[in-house]
Amino acid sequence: MAKLPPPPPPRADSRCPLPSLAHLRGSDWASVYEPSDDTYLLLDALAADLAVLRAALPGVVLELGSGSGCIITGLAQILARGGVPAASAALVATDLNASANAATAATAAANSVPLEVVRADLLGAVRPGTVDVLLFNPPYVPTSEEEAAGGQAERDISAAWAGGPDGRVVVDRLLPDLGRLLSARGVFYLLGVRENRPDELAAQVEAQHGMRAELIAERRAQNERLFVMRFSRSQPASA
């Protein structure tokens, strides 16, 4: 199995501004994942990948597990700053946590971003071949199977981080459907940690769907080594 080459070094100006979250209060974070280092890395990676995003001509942008709505709202702002108005794409966010659905809708509204929020588990309500940009900051923390299953069953905040053995339980449910979901020009951005075995993930997606994987960002955060991977059907435009 080939090892993925390291991502390009971050630019000095690579930190992406966050959307306003002032409308969310301390009580909200008891049931909704609060933006942290992983959120910041994914937004920074998306901002640095603007050329690829623009080349995807996004008509449909979907975030799975949207939590506070920070990522998909932030992406809408990145696209707008890059000359792609939010009105040109249908933005959709799903989460199985009702509190996260409410927080996502509130974040989009507070930042004047048009967004459809759907309570759903992964791809239950998605038409095949329609998604141009797919975002997923999954539950990636390695835990027991029981802890991961409990979080998914209870639909509470633990579902945002408890990933089962190798942190892959939820991601491994998604990957077999990836090729069916994305459009011909679709791209998929996945955040994870090194314990998720990114080289194996890349090889699996290439074998199943013929898609190319690239590490586009990495960052050490406390005891975690975070990464962002981009999956695409063909060689993307240079960022």
Side-chain angles (χ1 to χ4, degrees):
M1 181 171 57
K3 185 175 176 59
L4 289 166
R11 301 193 308 259
D13 61 347
S14 61
R15 289 301 174 101
C16 176
L18 296 180
S20 173
L21 299 173
H23 55 284
L24 297 176
R25 306 192 180 279
S27 57
D28 293 310
W29 304 127
S31 54
V32 175
Y33 183 74
E34 186 171 2
S36 188
D37 294 301
D38 50 357
T39 315
Y40 311 146
L41 177 61
L42 182 49
L43 280 176
D44 291 347
L46 292 168
D49 221 36
L50 178 60
V52 173
L53 289 163
R54 292 181 66 175
L57 300 171
V60 176
V61 178
L62 170 65
E63 182 182 8
L64 304 175
S66 58
S68 67
C70 183
I71 290 172
I72 193 161
T73 301
L75 176 58
Q77 294 174 333
I78 290 167
L79 292 172
R81 289 192 294 268
V84 183
S88 69
L91 302 174
V92 183
T94 71
D95 204 295
L96 51 73
N97 178 345
S99 297
N101 299 147
T104 293
T107 296
N111 290 273
S112 302
V113 168
L115 175 66
E116 181 179 357
V117 179
V118 180
R119 190 177 189 189
D121 177 28
L122 292 182
L123 309 178
V126 181
R127 236 176 30 185
T130 58
V131 178
D132 302 308
V133 177
L134 178 65
L135 311 170
F136 197 20
N137 180 0
Y140 58 71
V141 176
T143 66
S144 68
E145 279 194 36
E146 293 75 18
E147 191 170 4
Q152 297 295 310
E154 294 297 325
R155 302 189 171 194
D156 62 12
I157 193 170
S158 67
W161 54 265
D166 301 313
R168 289 267 300 268
V169 165
V170 177
V171 169
D172 284 345
R173 284 178 52 213
L174 167 67
L175 293 185
D177 288 323
L178 187 60
R180 174 185 67 83
L181 171 71
L182 292 177
S183 70
R185 60 180 183 270
V187 291
F188 170 41
Y189 293 90
L190 175 68
L191 188 136
V193 290
R194 276 294 172 178
E195 289 84 353
N196 302 153
R197 305 193 306 274
D199 296 320
E200 182 182 290
L201 283 169
Q204 180 179 339
V205 172
E206 182 177 10
Q208 289 181 338
H209 307 296
M211 297 178 69
R212 179 176 183 271
E214 185 176 351
L215 273 177
I216 62 169
E218 276 187 315
R219 185 175 299 163
R220 186 171 291 281
Q222 301 179 51
N223 63 337
E224 294 181 330
R225 191 174 173 192
L226 301 165
F227 67 81
V228 178
M229 295 177 73
R230 183 214 301 127
F231 298 88
S232 57
R233 296 190 188 277
S234 59
Q235 178 73 32
S238 172

